[in-house]
Structures are given as structure tokens and as C-alpha cells.
Amino acid sequence: MADIQSTTAAAPLIIRRSDYRPPDWLVPEITLDFDLDAAATRVHATLSVVRNGGQDRPLRLDGDGLLPLEVKVDGRALGPDEWALDGGALVIALPGQAHVVETRVELAPEGNSKLMGLYASSGLLCTQCEAEGFRRITFFPDRPDVLSRYTVRMEADKARYPVLLANGDPVGQGDLPGGRHWARWNDPFPKPCYLFALVAGDLACNADRFVTMSGQEVALGIWVKKADLPRTAHAMKALKDSMAWDERVYGREYDLDVFNIVAVADFNFGAMENKGLNIFNSRYILADPETATDLDYDGVEGVVAHEYFHNWSGNRITCRDWFQLSLKEGFTVFRDQSFSADMGSRAVKRIEDVRILRAAQFQEDSGPLAHPVRPESYMEISNFYTATIYNKGAELIRMMALMLGPERFRASTDLYFERHDGEAATCEDFVRAMEDGGGVDLAQFRLWYEQAGTPRVRALLNHDADAGTAELVLEQTVPPTPGQPDKKPMAIPLRVALFDPQSGQHRGDQLLMLTEAKQAFTFTGFAQPPVLSINRGFSAPVIVESNRSQADLAFLSARDDDPFARYEAMQQLMVNVLVGSIGGQPVDEAAVVAAIRHTATDPQLDPAFVAEAIRLPSEAYLGDQMAVVDPDAIHAAREALQRRIGEALEPLWRDIHAGTKANAFSLSPAAKGARKLRNIALHYLVASGAQDGPEIAFGQFHEADNMTERQAALATLANGASDAREAALDIFYNRYRDDALTLDKWFQTQAFAFHPDTVQLVAELREHKDFTLTNPNRVRSLFGAFAGNQWAFHDKSGKGYRLVADCIIALDKINPQTAARLVPPLGRWRRFDEGRAAMMRAELERILTEPDLSRDVTEQAGKSLE
Ligand code: ARG
Ligand code: ZN
């Protein structure tokens, strides 16, 4: 096996969207027979293949690390000169139009540390095929536009693997001699191989049922380790809510008799939408008050919904090729965001989603890895499961939904589902359905799929007192990105309102379409200069720069009736003060304090909204506002303002903290909002420097009946150097040392901490007996969190860079996909001073000199240096 892997590691190849060609051979049917075993699994595949189009090319079946033990065509075993291996792929010249091809291979799931293909995870056997994992299981045309009907038979030791699951419906099972058993599953829906899945193991089931809108009964199962069963209730509720929501909002009904979800501990990302058998990272299934924060609960709900919604946006209609990935991911993120908004607070959900977009996607869009929502080329497709494809992709759908309005948007999605059901479609197909169903012209809008980079919109509002008019001048620029030096103006939908500062009212929300580089809009009937509220609801994923004064922003932070715009005004007020003070300008901190006081004492506001609005912008977001990021100055300025807010409003923080103490845990929006507000009050109280701050935090840590308050108290303590810090970390460790998901929080909290010794602490935690590179969640909770801690990661010693680079190098040998995800923070070197930039580059260069570096890391590190 080892030899094969090394011979298949071909030179980095660039795949281009413009090279797309329909498949040479189709595979309408496949039968898979698995003889499962952790050390040696045998796979017998029978493919019915049909020549596609008038060409005479041989059959080429992708493979990665596979050696054929037998190859048969139409029942006859081929000799060794009748097939060839080419870059891992099996090539067979076939004479006719249709044949039956059989292959046998052997796999070692327990040695599969990449977690792609068939692998072992704490006693289970499971699969991950998207994007190109199926070729690690059997020889097959591993591309999403080859759709097949699957029949799967599994055979395994019954004691070790009592449960055998695959896609579709179960159609048979039975016992075999020698303590073995078998099961057969049939999936009636033709699907691409990236949606194939099987699971074998000792699993317990939370079983439930759902009756669809046409009266079909669906058996639902959430399969976990027996001890985890009590932690599956929230996921089951989320699943049933999602099924009902997709019927109500999109008219989409589930289509099989069973729907199963399995939680596994070792998983490269969030979850996977395999047809009828979703496989999840256990962190997005398991939740109870003792171990899950409110954020974790929301994560479970959102990801369960996301994977379920893929059944239509992804499975019934899949992608023609991987350049179309956002067709399913952008749309499905938009769908899960809308669902979560309906289940909780719409305003807070939008604020959270924009915060994620800005933190992840705007950063990506302004760096060396920037790419369009529909990329033109890639080296390793796993590197393109990005915030741009997912989150910016969702914003594109959201803009189209806004421009169409709810009825026409629904008509367009109906058309899309009807027109392309059962097909492998393109982003262009989606946009055309929006045009045809909505009766709009999206010619210019298509640039959003083609052009990378976050557009900047300058908004200047001029008032003419004599004419009684206000003129809004909008100017847009789209920055150059790799491979795209010059950009065309985009079609940018901006929701705008003009407020009369006297009455505090506006005359209605308007949707302005900015389509030119520069455009002016005139509004009449304004004797007094109005106050501009722009990009309300974050109607377009752009950066807005305006000439609004601090007084205007304070006004909007108190009066804007669009909750996102109100939040945004407050954030901008804070950004101006922080960036001003970093630049050594005189700033009015009192205005921030006053605005926070006003918001925090407004009885009309939802506490969850208040908590969002009064929170200071992150250090990373402040860095994004600067020409050259100065992590130390940002940290110092933010800490100082935090302390000032803490001191100035200390009685208020004490009041809120005492007044939000709940009696018993509940997941009601009110209870969640109260916890969110309580935690930020605690944070400001401790930031004030009050003598009893650490004691109060420790009290909350100790008394909390839920993880939301316990972890927030721990995080607050972890920033400082009190005795309570060490005590709380020890207690937390001892309480959760045997619970991997919760122990992740212990690592993560320390890696995120604003503690002067964080770099050293992370270096020590890397050596901790509970740290391992083989579990992606554990790696992310230490190194992913650390790389997101701007102040610590960018420590001017450069030690933070070395720590992360060392991790990338070591992890690349185990799990390249997860290693590659740690590269982008190092790739942002152009944003920093020369000293830091040189050290970051040096680490990237060091990574690239490693022998046998994966394609995943090669692409990310190489592009980062270009
Ligand atoms: N389709 C999955 C989801 O978003 C994610 C698959 C990620 N695959 C990867 N190679 N990173 O629901
Ligand atoms: Zn997805």
C-alpha cells in the first residue's frame, strides 16, 4: 500500500473551471459489497458503465491509494496487461457501449488518519467522501456529475459492529456463521459518490418519527454511543423543526422512509449530508446544560438544519463540478440562517451572521487566498470549503431574495427545484431560475459570482438647505485580488433610510441599487439635514464608509428602528474611538460610555440584542480597519476602553449581573438573552478592576447550573492572573477530563485568553497528555483558537508563528486537510509590520521546504507567499 501512495502523489496539478467536459462514461448502477474490519476491509464493487457521447476514450476510474486485487469486465477476470494504473486511477480500454466492471480492493480503516474515505473513530467504522474521499474506498469516476443508484451490502462481526447503516432504506439483514452478520441498504435516488456513506458500530438510537405534509411517515434515528443518548434531545427537536420548516417555507418534503444521523468524535469539519445518513462531528449533535453553551445549542440546531436542508439543495439537485460548490453550500447556508432566524431572534441572528462574515470572509477576501464565490481554478478542492463559498455565497442568495421580494423568490426557488430535480446543476442554472421565476435581469449581478474582493462603498450625504434636498453620493470600488487586478462595478442593493433628527422618524426604508462606479440619489423635502441609515439589515456584503459624525452615530445607536443598523451605529462609534486613540488622536470616550448606558438601560430592548450592541468590536476587526495592524496598540486601546466602560458604569454592571441570575435552566429566548447579558456585565465588571471582580466571577463559575455561564466566567478569569484563575481551570479540568467535547473548551479558553503568557501556555498545552493531533476538534480548540487570538498569535517574539507552523508540519503527515486550515492566519503577513511579516513569511517558507508536503498545505502556503 505504501508504494502506491507515494507513486500517486503526483506533481501539483491545477484544475480549471474552463476545462469542464461531460463524463466519458456514466455509471447508472453500482453494487457495493463490504467485508468490514478495522484492520482489513474488503470492497467488491460492481459498476454498470455506459459510454457517454460519441467518443472512444477508455474507462477511467479514480483511485487514491488503491491496488486492484481483481478486475473483471462482463464477468471475465482481466489479465495484468488489460488494465493500468495512472496517477492512482484504474484505466481500462472497453470495446462496447455498455459493460459491467467489477473490482476488488482491500483497505485499512484503522490506519486512515486523514479521515477521508473509510476510517475508524473510537471503535466505529464510518465514511467521509466529500469532496474526493470515495476514490479512497473503491475505483470510481469520482466527480459529482456521475449519478448512480446504489445497493450496499455490509458484513461484519456482530459483537463489535451490531449496527450497520448506509444510505437509503434498509432492505434486508441476517446472521452469518462465526458471529458475523450482514445488512443490505438500497438508495432509490441516483446520487454522486460524494454522498455515499456507511457506518458500522456499537451505537444506541434516539428513535422518533415525522409525518410529512403528504402523510408519509419517516423513521428518524440519531445514533450515538450509548452514554451519549441523553444528550441527543436538542438535535432531534432541531431535525423535526427543520423538516417542518422546509415544507412550510420552501414546499420541500422528505423523500425516504428513514432518516438517520450518526455522531462521530473524529471529523474534519462540521457534518456531512450523505443521502438519508448524515454523519456529524459529535460537537454538532450532543448537547446538555451541563456541557453545552447556548452557542453550542444554536450550533447543533443550525448544523442539523443545514445538513437536512441539503437533501434538496445539494442531494436532489447536486453540483455539476466542484467550481459550483456554492450552488449547494451558499444556498443551504442561507436556508439554515433563515431557519435559525425563525426559531430565535431574527435581529440577533443577523448580527451574529454578519460578525462571522466579517471575521472570516472579509479577512479571506482581503488576503492572498481571496477567490470568487465561483472559483476559476484550484489545486486541492478541500481548500475551497471556505467562508467565501459558504458565507459570501449565502449573502448572494440573500441579495437576490431581497431584490425579488418573498413571493417572487419563492416562485423562483420552486422553479429551480422543479427544473433541476435529479440533475447536477451550476450556479448559472440557479441565477437563471431567479431571473425566470422573478422576472428580473441579473446580468450585472452575476459579477458577484465572478469577482473576488469585498466592495467598498463611500457614502456622502450632502444637504442643501435652500432647496430642502439631501443628496446621497455613492461611490464603489472593488479591490484587486489575486489574478483579478481590475474590477467592474457591481450591482449592490442598499437598504437606506433618512432620519429626521428632531422627530427621530424616517419616511420609509428604500432599496437603492448602486450599479455604477459613482451614482447620486436626491431626496426632497428635507429642511433640516437628515441622518443616514445605510446598508440596513446588512443588505449587501460590502464595507460602507460614510461621513457620519459621532453624534449621528450616537443618534442612530439610540433611535434606528432597524436592529442591525442600530447595532452597526454603535459598533462604528466604538471603532472610531478605538482607531482614533490608537492613532494618537483626541477621542471622546464619554460618547461611547453614554451610548452603552443608553442601550443597556433601555427597557424596550431584547437583552440578547443589548449584549450584542454593547460589546466592543474584536481586536481582529479593529485590525481590519487599520492600514498596518498593530496588535499591541489595538490590545492596549481596547483594554483601556473596556476598563473605562467598566469603571464608569460599575453600578450598572453589578445591577445587571445580580438581576439576571436565573432560577433554573431554560432554553427560552428570554433565558438565553439574560445569560448573554449577564456574561457581558460580568466581563465589564471584572474589566473595571473592582477588587471583588475575580471573586464574583469565581462565584458565577461555581454556582452556574449551565455551561454558558460557567465557561464565560472561566474565560473572564483566564484573562487575568488571579488565584481564582488557576483554581477555576483545575476544577474545570477535573470535572470534564473524561468528556472530550467539554475538555476542548478547557484548551480553547486558555488559547483564546488575553493573558500575557498565552504563547507559553499554549506551548505547554501542546505537551499536555490530553492533547492529540489525531482529533481535529482538539487541534482546533488549541491551535485554531490560538491563531484567532490576534494579540497572542502575533506576539512580537514570533513564537506564536513558530508554534502554529510546527503544528502544521506535524499535522500534515497525519491529516493534511485539517493542517491546511491552519495556514491562512500565517498568510496574512502583508497586513503587518515588516518585522512580523518577515517572521510569518519565514514560517511559510519553512513549511514549504518540508519533504512530502501534502497538496493541501502546498497550495495554501504557496499561494500565501505569492
Ligand atoms: N458538505 C458538507 C457541509 O457543508 C461539508 C463537506 C466539507 N468537505 C470538505 N472536504 N471540507 O455540509
Ligand atoms: Zn453544507
Side-chain angles (χ1 to χ4, degrees):
M1 278 302 227
D3 321 341
I4 300 192
Q5 253 139 9
S6 57
T7 58
T8 57
L13 242 161
I14 297 189
I15 318 287
R16 292 180 203 285
R17 184 169 72 89
S18 55
D19 288 344
Y20 176 81
R21 196 175 78 187
D24 291 338
W25 289 86
L26 301 176
V27 188
E29 306 272 345
I30 175 171
T31 302
L32 287 166
D33 211 317
F34 287 89
D35 191 345
L36 291 165
D37 180 81
T41 288
R42 293 197 151 224
V43 187
H44 175 196
T46 307
L47 285 59
S48 72
V49 303
V50 177
R51 198 181 287 278
N52 189 32
Q55 41 80 26
D56 56 5
R57 283 184 281 271
L59 175 71
R60 186 183 172 90
L61 303 174
D62 296 300
D64 177 3
L66 302 179
L67 183 64
L69 303 175
E70 182 179 57
V71 182
K72 281 186 180 175
V73 171
D74 300 327
R76 180 180 72 84
L78 299 191
D81 55 341
E82 293 180 280
W83 53 265
L85 277 183
D86 175 23
L90 176 65
V91 182
I92 313 170
L94 294 177
Q97 295 300 309
H99 296 278
V100 174
V101 175
E102 290 171 74
T103 63
R104 284 176 203 274
V105 296
E106 192 176 293
L107 316 170
E110 68 187 6
N112 180 354
S113 62
K114 293 183 180 174
L115 315 185
M116 286 296 283
L118 177 67
Y119 65 94
S121 173
S122 26
L124 301 179
L125 294 177
C126 65
T127 55
Q128 171 56 37
C129 294
E130 186 177 4
E132 296 178 338
F134 194 66
R135 63 183 64 186
R136 293 164 55 78
I137 297 176
T138 193
F139 289 106
F140 196 80
D142 191 353
R143 44 187 289 168
D145 58 352
V146 172
L147 276 61
S148 320
R149 256 190 210 90
Y150 282 67
T151 304
V152 177
R153 183 183 181 278
M154 291 165 281
E155 190 182 313
D157 182 86
K158 193 170 180 176
R160 250 172 207 256
Y161 306 109
V163 175
L164 301 173
L165 306 171
N167 311 95
D169 298 311
V171 290
Q173 63 179 83
D175 286 335
L176 294 165
R180 298 178 66 77
H181 71 147
W182 65 274
R184 194 190 300 278
W185 290 72
N186 234 342
D187 183 357
F189 292 93
K191 64 170 175 286
C193 66
Y194 80 84
L195 290 173
F196 166 79
L198 73 74
V199 174
D202 190 0
L203 292 163
C205 183
N206 174 353
D208 209 323
R209 60 194 278 272
F210 181 84
V211 179
T212 71
M213 59 187 182
S214 71
Q216 301 299 305
E217 177 157 337
V218 184
L220 310 176
I222 298 184
W223 301 82
V224 296
K225 293 283 185 53
K226 186 143 196 259
D228 288 329
L229 261 189
R231 300 207 270 171
T232 56
H234 192 65
M236 183 57 87
K237 177 180 185 307
L239 175 58
K240 291 193 284 184
D241 288 342
S242 310
M243 296 179 85
W245 188 91
D246 212 14
E247 294 183 347
R248 194 173 72 246
V249 180
Y250 283 88
R252 297 295 116 198
E253 191 177 9
Y254 188 62
D255 50 13
L256 287 166
D257 295 337
V258 301
F259 186 80
N260 284 319
I261 290 178
V262 180
V264 303
D266 305 284
F267 205 71
N268 278 340
F269 30 85
M272 182 62 213
E273 69 265 23
N274 319 298
K275 183 81 186 187
L277 178 56
N278 292 357
I279 299 182
F280 272 64
N281 186 325
S282 53
R283 67 168 292 205
Y284 291 114
I285 289 297
L286 306 178
D288 65 10
E290 171 67 20
T291 58
T293 62
D294 293 340
L295 209 68
D296 294 330
Y297 274 100
D298 291 348
V300 167
E301 181 182 78
V303 179
V304 166
H306 179 97
E307 306 309 332
Y308 174 72
F309 295 154
H310 267 315
N311 190 54
W312 275 94
S313 49
N315 301 2
R316 291 288 288 256
I317 305 180
T318 188
C319 300
R320 186 192 73 173
D321 56 70
W322 293 121
F323 297 103
Q324 319 298 330
L325 182 57
S326 196
L327 173 70
K328 73 178 178 81
E329 295 303 347
F331 187 26
T332 303
V333 171
F334 173 72
R335 278 151 56 71
D336 83 57
Q337 289 177 346
S338 312
F339 165 76
S340 295
D342 283 351
M343 301 304 288
S345 157
R346 180 163 292 279
V348 171
K349 177 64 178 158
R350 187 64 186 136
I351 290 167
E352 289 169 348
D353 289 340
V354 174
R355 190 168 342 98
I356 293 167
L357 184 82
R358 284 173 165 164
Q361 202 279 325
F362 280 21
Q363 287 216 348
E364 184 166 80
D365 235 357
S366 63
L369 300 170
H371 54 275
V373 169
R374 185 185 53 210
E376 294 300 333
S377 68
Y378 61 77
M379 205 181 272
E380 170 51 60
I381 185 56
S382 294
N383 288 330
F384 282 77
Y385 287 74
T386 60
T388 297
I389 303 294
Y390 278 66
N391 304 64
K392 188 176 182 178
E395 295 298 321
L396 271 48
I397 311 296
R398 185 181 297 274
M399 285 190 282
M400 290 189 275
L402 173 67
M403 292 186 291
L404 265 58
E407 277 94 44
R408 287 187 300 157
F409 180 64
R410 171 62 196 270
S412 304
T413 58
D414 284 353
L415 178 64
Y416 170 69
F417 287 122
E418 194 202 319
R419 205 183 250 181
H420 298 289
D421 188 12
E423 288 180 14
T426 61
C427 296
E428 174 57 26
D429 290 330
F430 189 90
V431 176
R432 208 170 315 112
M434 295 293 110
E435 282 182 324
D436 295 349
V440 289
D441 177 357
L442 296 171
Q444 186 185 8
F445 187 84
R446 283 175 172 77
L447 285 173
W448 281 103
Y449 283 93
E450 292 167 26
Q451 294 193 149
T454 308
R456 265 176 201 272
V457 175
R458 281 176 59 79
L460 298 183
L461 189 66
N462 306 314
H463 182 245
D464 182 336
D466 297 337
T469 56
E471 186 194 39
L472 177 60
V473 182
L474 298 177
E475 261 182 273
Q476 60 160 307
T477 52
V478 188
T481 48
Q484 297 186 332
D486 302 308
K487 301 283 171 52
K488 296 184 193 127
M490 315 266 266
I492 302 176
L494 292 167
R495 282 179 49 208
V496 166
L498 295 176
F499 280 83
D500 170 15
Q502 255 75 53
S503 69
Q505 306 293 315
H506 64 81
R507 298 178 205 158
D509 191 298
Q510 295 191 41
L511 183 62
L512 303 182
M513 284 304 302
L514 172 62
T515 56
E516 289 158 35
K518 184 170 180 178
Q519 229 169 319
F521 299 86
T522 304
F523 304 87
T524 55
F526 285 98
Q528 302 293 321
V531 179
L532 170 67
S533 170
I534 186 166
N535 207 16
R536 311 183 95 212
F538 204 69
S539 59
V542 300
I543 296 167
V544 175
E545 292 164 358
S546 75
N547 62 344
R548 293 177 296 183
S549 65
Q550 290 292 83
D552 288 349
L553 294 170
F555 167 83
L556 293 169
S557 81
R559 303 301 292 266
D560 203 319
D561 58 334
D562 177 74
F564 178 80
R566 186 170 180 171
Y567 155 86
E568 183 76 339
M570 180 80 114
Q571 292 290 301
Q572 194 58 51
L573 191 70
M574 294 168 172
V575 166
N576 292 348
V577 163
L578 286 164
V579 172
S581 79
I582 293 164
Q585 288 151 22
V587 291
D588 182 11
E589 292 182 346
V592 171
V593 172
I596 289 181
R597 185 204 316 267
H598 189 278
T599 299
T601 54
D602 184 339
Q604 313 283 25
L605 292 174
D606 169 9
F609 173 83
V610 174
E612 293 293 343
I614 66 176
R615 178 176 0 186
L616 290 181
S618 72
E619 295 190 0
Y621 186 67
L622 293 167
D624 292 344
Q625 317 307 313
M626 299 174 69
V628 176
V629 186
D630 183 340
D632 296 320
I634 290 170
H635 181 73
R638 192 174 177 279
E639 291 290 302
L641 182 59
Q642 201 154 268
R643 182 173 184 120
R644 170 81 189 269
I645 296 165
E647 283 170 348
L649 303 175
E650 190 183 320
L652 176 64
W653 304 131
R654 287 187 190 274
D655 268 8
I656 294 178
H657 190 255
T660 46
K661 191 164 171 12
N663 296 318
F665 179 79
S666 145
L667 272 178
S668 70
K672 285 163 76 178
R675 284 193 286 272
K676 206 170 198 174
L677 189 55
R678 182 166 210 249
N679 287 339
I680 190 145
L682 175 70
H683 192 72
Y684 277 128
L685 180 56
V686 171
S688 76
Q691 278 292 316
D692 57 350
E695 192 184 316
I696 293 173
F698 192 82
Q700 174 172 322
F701 173 80
H702 184 68
E703 287 159 26
D705 69 349
N706 63 83
M707 184 52 85
T708 305
E709 289 179 56
R710 194 176 301 121
Q711 191 190 9
L714 183 69
T716 300
L717 287 169
N719 292 337
S722 60
D723 290 345
R725 176 188 200 272
E726 304 312 315
L729 283 168
D730 279 354
I731 293 169
F732 194 97
Y733 176 79
N734 287 314
R735 187 158 166 179
Y736 300 115
R737 56 199 304 168
D738 298 323
D739 173 4
L741 289 177
T742 315
L743 196 56
D744 286 340
K745 296 187 192 320
W746 184 79
F747 282 95
Q748 187 199 52
T749 302
Q750 297 179 75
F752 260 150
F754 288 140
H755 187 282
D757 300 330
T758 294
V759 181
Q760 184 52 35
L761 292 169
V762 169
E764 285 164 22
L765 286 171
R766 178 186 58 184
E767 308 303 328
H768 193 277
K769 69 175 172 54
D770 291 307
F771 182 74
T772 171
L773 287 174
T774 60
N775 179 266
N777 287 353
R778 190 56 50 84
V779 173
R780 283 187 284 260
S781 53
L782 186 59
F783 286 99
F786 175 65
N789 181 342
Q790 181 169 283
W791 184 48
F793 175 59
H794 293 283
D795 186 278
K796 62 179 178 308
S797 68
K799 286 183 184 160
Y801 306 144
R802 197 166 329 134
L803 270 177
V804 171
D806 284 344
C807 173
I808 292 169
I809 289 168
L811 185 56
D812 191 54
K813 301 186 171 30
I814 299 166
N815 184 335
Q817 229 180 70
T818 296
R821 300 234 144 205
L822 294 170
V823 176
L826 284 170
R828 302 190 66 250
W829 55 271
R830 283 183 184 80
R831 303 281 301 115
F832 293 82
D833 57 89
E834 264 175 47
R836 286 185 172 89
M839 293 188 287
M840 293 166 84
R841 271 200 322 267
E843 294 302 336
L844 288 166
E845 278 156 8
R846 180 164 70 93
I847 291 169
L848 281 170
T849 59
E850 276 296 306
D852 300 324
L853 199 66
S854 69
R855 201 162 34 161
D856 310 62
V857 171
T858 302
E859 176 172 37
Q860 298 302 74
K863 284 183 175 172
S864 297
L865 284 168
E866 268 168 22

